[in-house]
Amino acid sequence: MGRLLLTAVAALLLVAPAAAQPRELWPGVSFETAVQFTSNGPVALNVLIGPRPGGTTTLAPALSNETLTGTETLTAIQRRVAGSVTSAGVNGDFFNFKTGVPSGVLMREGQVASPPFGERSSAGIMTDGTLDVRRISFFGTWQGAGAKRTLNTFNEAPPPNGTALYTQAWGPTTPPLPGATALILFPLPAPVPNADLVAPVVEVRTGGDPVPIPLGGAVLVGVGSVAAALAVEGPVGQEITSRLIFKPEWPGVVAAIGGGPQIVRNGAAIFRAGETFTPFQLGTRAPRTGLGQLADGRIILVAVDGRQPGYSVGMTNFELAQAMVRLGAVTAMAFDGGGSTTMAFNGTLLSKLVGAERPISTALLFEYTGVFVQPTIAVVSPDGDGIADRQSLRYKLVRPATITITLTAPDGVVALAETRERQPGSFAIPFPPVAAPPVALGGTATPPVNGRWKLQVAAVDDLGQPSAMTQTFTVNTTVGFLVTAPRKLFLPPGGRDLGITWKQSRPARVVVTVETPAGEVVRTLARRVYPASTPALVWNGLDRTKKAVKGGRYVVRVTAKNALGTIELSKPVRVQRIVGPR
């Protein structure tokens, strides 16, 4: 009864979020923001939703610097992998601030880089795209010439009188361990769980200095009383059998990442999962990161901004659980929060951080290998006035592919059609389409037609995977060539008023305002329909109450709206107050 009452009270405090229109990042993956108004203040949520993993969009853990040691910001991770995937995602597991080593499991392509922590949940991505959140314990064994022995840790420092197995996922060398014995094993089979990993000893080292970890191999290290046994039972040439044991076995897992606690099970929020977290970690209102799966199989990633009064106060862990349920999650797990909470797309932040971006250990990313068409400028005005004159059309391939480009004008005419083979890279598409004959040979460059244009790029890569992406934009030359003079307006009048003119190529409803740099309107000078013409206005430096404005910087803004849409022009002006008669 007490738990039901707690849930009911919390539901009263957290109302349904007000969401912004989703923005498609690439086909099947969208980003949106939402605000929840609570008795503690507003809470801002950043939400990524992607398809069930598979095909050209997968869900995969990422490792900072490609080693367990060290850290890297989420935006840096995304920029580093940009040549092989287009990505969007969030920070991952908790980690050791000194070493960068994650607290729990990290598996990629079925191979273990870091073992699970049995006292906290792990999230596994299964072969069918299901998200499986559960607690997995880790045990290990090794055996040389003698009896089977305990392998205490994997890619982590061994305890006193214990052993550890290191692969290159740890870093280039083992850590210094005074008095240790190290067996260099090569080659080592892929480190998958619950399988015998048999590898011969190629070299034995003693003394405890760092030992280089061979690519495709491993180093078995023993300290204390086990060091001597390791030297005896693992001479050069001896085969060592290691085993990384998961309990339960977790069959079908292809990738996994640690974190915790589990916060949603069977569509219900979990108040207390019984995992090893302190009340401070769970109960304080802070930035939070969560991962979940919706009933239809889609994946949801959430980053809650926090510690920013008036904008977003953050959430407790249970409030995050409730938010995930409201967003449709049937299963969900939390990740590291606080200063680690980050969401980014293609190396650009989507969440709003309190301070500088924190370097992290791991991340979870939607990774896209299809053709990616970069976002276009929404409204382009190629009239030669130097403002929004050029449109940037580009696409990116991360695999060799056959591509087909179709650029369609507002009247339905195909202005550009091209099919060709391309290697991975980033490629520009000319806009306006090249005139025939070229200007250099006497041709005349024709301005692009006003209206809505559509660019589609389709690709079939070398694996036979099809993908396509479309971007649209508007050409609108309704207004241009905004001029204000003089550059500085003196008040009280010590010179002429500020003159404002612009060229208008077609009728539109126009609003002309004077604003502060922050966007506050101090005076509306016009609100009417203008025909095609060269309108002119003046501003005498007075605000809407007919008082002289303060000295400083202002912005003159001309906003025109017609069937083509809305287009804006703006020009900075400066006002200076002087001493003198009015």
Side-chain angles (χ1 to χ4, degrees), residues 206-254:
T206 59
D209 290 337
V211 176
I213 303 171
L215 180 64
V219 178
L220 180 63
V221 177
V223 296
S225 61
V226 181
L230 203 65
V232 172
E233 298 176 20
V236 172
Q238 173 67 47
E239 286 191 336
I240 302 294
T241 301
S242 305
R243 194 173 181 90
L244 310 176
I245 303 168
F246 284 11
K247 290 189 177 181
E249 287 194 356
W250 223 7
V253 65
V254 293

Side-chain angles (χ1 to χ4, degrees), residues 442-473:
T444 302
T446 304
V449 177
N450 275 258
R452 196 163 184 81
W453 288 70
K454 182 173 76 171
L455 170 66
Q456 182 180 57
V457 183
V460 178
D461 68 22
D462 58 337
L463 300 178
Q465 285 275 14
S467 61
M469 192 165 174
T470 300
Q471 294 285 6
T472 60
F473 61 94

Side-chain angles (χ1 to χ4, degrees), residues 2 12 24 67 95 119 162 177 227 285 293 320 395 401 422 430-431 454 473 475 523 543 546 557 560 578:
L12 290 174
E24 185 181 76
T67 61
F95 60 97
E119 301 303 315
L177 297 166
R285 192 159 280 104
Q293 189 162 39
L320 175 63
Y395 65 95
R422 284 286 198 189
F431 187 83
K454 182 173 76 171
F473 61 94
V475 173
R523 181 80 176 271
D543 64 16
K546 297 185 178 180
R557 190 177 310 278
I578 61 173

Side-chain angles (χ1 to χ4, degrees), residues 374-462:
Q374 77 171 28
T376 57
I377 300 170
V379 179
V380 64
S381 179
D383 53 11
D385 68 352
I387 300 174
D389 275 337
R390 296 180 179 275
Q391 177 63 276
S392 176
L393 302 181
R394 299 192 70 88
Y395 65 95
K396 181 181 81 170
L397 295 172
V398 298
R399 301 192 63 87
T402 301
I403 60 98
T404 299
I405 299 170
T406 307
L407 179 62
T408 307
D411 55 6
V413 172
V414 175
L416 175 66
E418 177 182 272
T419 298
R420 63 184 300 177
E421 303 289 329
R422 284 286 198 189
Q423 293 299 309
S426 178
F427 306 95
I429 300 170
F431 187 83
V434 177
V439 175
L441 299 179
T444 302
T446 304
V449 177
N450 275 258
R452 196 163 184 81
W453 288 70
K454 182 173 76 171
L455 170 66
Q456 182 180 57
V457 183
V460 178
D461 68 22
D462 58 337

